[in-house]
Amino acid sequence: KYIAKPVQIKKLTVDIVELVVKYRKSNNIEALAKGLVQQKTKEDKNNQEIESELNIKRGLVKYYETIIDNFVFSLQIDKKGTIQKVSSKFLQFFKYDEDEIIGMNINELKCESCSNESFQQIMLKAIHTKKTIISTHNLTTKTNQKILFDITMTPHYDSSGLVDGYTLYLDMQR
C-alpha cells in the first residue's frame, strides 16, 4: 500500500488494520496447511503400519486355512443344511469329489446313527442353546466304510444375530 500526502490518520489506521488482518489470515492458513500436511503424513504412516499388519494377518489366515484343509475333516453348511465347502482331507478320506458333495444336504451323508439324532436336530439344538454342539455319529464313506466320529457343530451368526450357517469338525474315534 502507498500512503499519499497529506496523510489521513483514519485512512492510515484502516489500511494498517487491513494489512494486519490479511497477514494474520495468511499466517493462519499457512499454519493450518502445515498442520494438515503433518496430520496427513502421520495418518499415511499409520495406514501403512496397519496395512502391513493386515497383510501379516491375511498370511496367517491363509496358512491356518491350508492346515485345516489338509489335516482336518471339516464341512461348512448353510442354515438349511446344504454343504457349501468341504476340506480336502474330508474329500480324500470319504472318497467324494468336490462337485459331488457341494450342494448336497448334510442329511444325505450316509449316517447309521442319525436315526437317533439327525443333523437337523443338532442344528436346532445349536440355535436354541446358542452353543457349539458335540455329538457322536457313525458315518459311512462312499466306499461303505463305517467310521465313528465326534462331530463338533458350531453355528455362525449374521450381523442381525441370526444363524446363517454352521461349521462341522469331525474327529475320528479310535
Side-chain angles (χ1 to χ4, degrees):
K1 287 225 173 197
Y2 296 97
I3 302 170
K5 290 186 180 178
V7 176
Q8 296 176 349
I9 299 297
K10 183 177 180 181
K11 171 94 169 93
L12 178 63
T13 307
V14 168
D15 287 346
I16 291 172
V17 169
E18 284 177 3
L19 285 172
V20 168
V21 168
K22 185 177 179 182
Y23 176 77
R24 284 185 179 164
K25 282 183 183 177
S26 172
N27 276 352
N28 284 343
I29 289 172
E30 280 182 38
L32 181 63
K34 285 179 184 176
L36 290 173
V37 167
Q38 289 173 345
Q39 183 178 352
K40 177 151 180 13
T41 303
K42 194 176 193 179
E43 287 175 359
D44 286 347
K45 185 178 177 186
N46 287 342
N47 286 343
Q48 287 173 348
E49 289 172 4
I50 291 169
E51 181 99 20
S52 176
E53 287 178 30
L54 183 60
N55 286 335
I56 291 168
K57 299 288 184 196
R58 283 182 180 141
L60 282 172
V61 166
K62 192 113 176 118
Y63 173 74
Y64 293 138
E65 284 176 344
T66 301
I67 289 173
I68 289 171
D69 189 50
N70 290 303
F71 297 103
V72 177
F73 300 108
S74 67
L75 300 113
Q76 287 184 2
I77 59 175
D78 65 11
K79 62 184 174 185
K80 295 179 182 176
T82 305
I83 299 171
Q84 302 294 309
K85 188 176 178 183
V86 292
S87 68
S88 297
K89 181 73 173 178
F90 181 93
L91 293 172
Q92 179 185 14
F93 186 82
F94 280 86
K95 309 289 189 223
Y96 282 104
D97 290 326
E98 190 173 20
D99 58 346
E100 283 180 284
I101 200 159
I102 300 294
M104 177 191 288
N105 190 286
I106 188 73
N107 287 322
E108 293 178 49
L109 286 179
K110 297 176 190 173
C111 175
E112 287 186 7
S113 57
C114 289
S115 58
N116 299 339
E117 185 176 40
S118 72
F119 288 113
Q120 296 291 355
Q121 289 170 322
I122 299 168
M123 291 163 61
L124 287 172
K125 188 188 287 185
I127 291 171
H128 291 300
T129 62
K130 295 188 182 207
K131 292 182 181 178
T132 295
I133 304 295
I134 300 172
S135 58
T136 302
H137 293 279
N138 199 358
L139 298 178
T140 306
T141 66
K142 190 175 174 183
T143 57
N144 291 323
Q145 182 182 3
K146 294 171 183 19
I147 298 141
L148 195 61
F149 285 96
D150 287 329
I151 299 176
T152 303
M153 183 182 289
T154 304
H156 304 170
Y157 298 93
D158 62 16
S159 59
S160 61
L162 299 174
V163 172
D164 67 352
Y166 303 84
T167 299
L168 285 76
Y169 296 102
L170 289 69
D171 188 19
M172 191 178 348
Q173 289 192 352
R174 304 218 181 251

